[in-house]
Every structure is written in structure tokens, then in C-alpha cells.
Amino acid sequence: QVQLMESGGNSVQTGGSLRLSCKASGDIDTSRCMAWFRQVPGNGREGVAAKCIGDSKTRLADTVQGRFAISRDDDDKTLYLQMNNLKPDDTAMYYCAATRGWSYAGAWATATEYAYWGQGTQVTVSS
């Protein structure tokens, strides 16, 4: 079992920066992929970024390329999302997710790839 707890969400103005953290507990060492998703009311969860063991690349959605960066500290069992140059369209609830062990079909931005989810942290960007 894996438990995930996000933090770092806040309200900022356009152009601001935030760093989200996702602290994992339990058997996270066996989770091949960890990711960040976001969701606004009325929409499904959108994959933002992912970091998978054995994958030399980090995965980023086109909408955040050049502005967001994901990193994973397996020693500290923490996943980070550095968000720079924030825009109002980035306003959403941000969720951390992890796969169940090595089970991963390669579709990093698909919510069904992930078995474990945190409760979310709200990011609000005002113009």
C-alpha cells in the first residue's frame, strides 16, 4: 500500500511560481511511475508531468513545457513539481499519483495507469 500527501498549493498572480510536494509513505519504492495530474470542476483529470524509474526522460504535457519541472527523490520518498511563469489556465486542483508496483502500460498521462492518489492541493492563479 502507498499513501500520498500533497502540499504547496496556494494563490499566486500570473507569472508567479510555486513548488508542489508529494510525500509518500508505504511501499513507494516499488512504484515505477509517479505523476502529477490536475483537475478543474466539470473536467477529467489532466496529466501534467510524470517521472518513471528506468525512463531517462521526464514527461510533461505540452501546455506546461518550458514552465514546469518534475523531480523525484526516492531517498526522501517525495515527488516535486516546480511551476514557473504560472498562468490563469493553470488554476486547478493538483493531484499526485503513483502506479501499483511495476504495472505500467506506458500511457503516463492516463489516470487509469495509477492506483494510488493523494487528496489534492489547490493552485489558483489570478490575472
Side-chain angles (χ1 to χ4, degrees):
Q1 272 290 41
V2 172
Q3 295 79 42
L4 304 171
M5 178 67 74
E6 304 95 337
S7 62
N10 211 330
S11 295
V12 297
Q13 292 189 327
T14 297
S17 296
L18 285 172
R19 188 191 197 200
L20 305 184
S21 299
C22 171
K23 183 69 173 179
S25 59
D27 199 14
I28 192 63
D29 292 341
T30 64
S31 286
R32 181 174 181 182
C33 292
M34 294 186 73
W36 288 98
F37 281 73
R38 64 188 182 186
Q39 187 173 26
V40 297
N43 289 2
R45 292 188 180 182
E46 173 194 8
V48 175
K51 180 69 175 168
C52 298
I53 296 171
D55 188 350
S56 60
K57 296 180 181 180
T58 56
R59 305 296 175 176
L60 290 168
D62 289 343
T63 52
V64 304
Q65 283 278 0
R67 301 187 298 121
F68 290 13
I70 186 172
S71 59
R72 177 174 174 171
D73 185 338
D74 287 326
D75 290 336
D76 195 38
K77 296 187 176 183
T78 304
L79 184 74
Y80 298 99
L81 184 68
Q82 178 65 45
M83 305 188 294
N84 298 324
N85 191 20
L86 283 160
K87 304 175 180 180
D89 284 349
D90 296 317
T91 295
M93 184 71 78
Y94 283 71
Y95 296 92
C96 175
T99 57
R100 187 190 308 277
W102 220 245
S103 175
Y104 174 58
W108 72 268
T110 301
T112 53
E113 286 273 22
Y114 303 89
Y116 304 109
W117 292 86
Q119 294 299 305
T121 186
Q122 178 67 37
V123 172
T124 302
V125 185
S126 58
S127 57

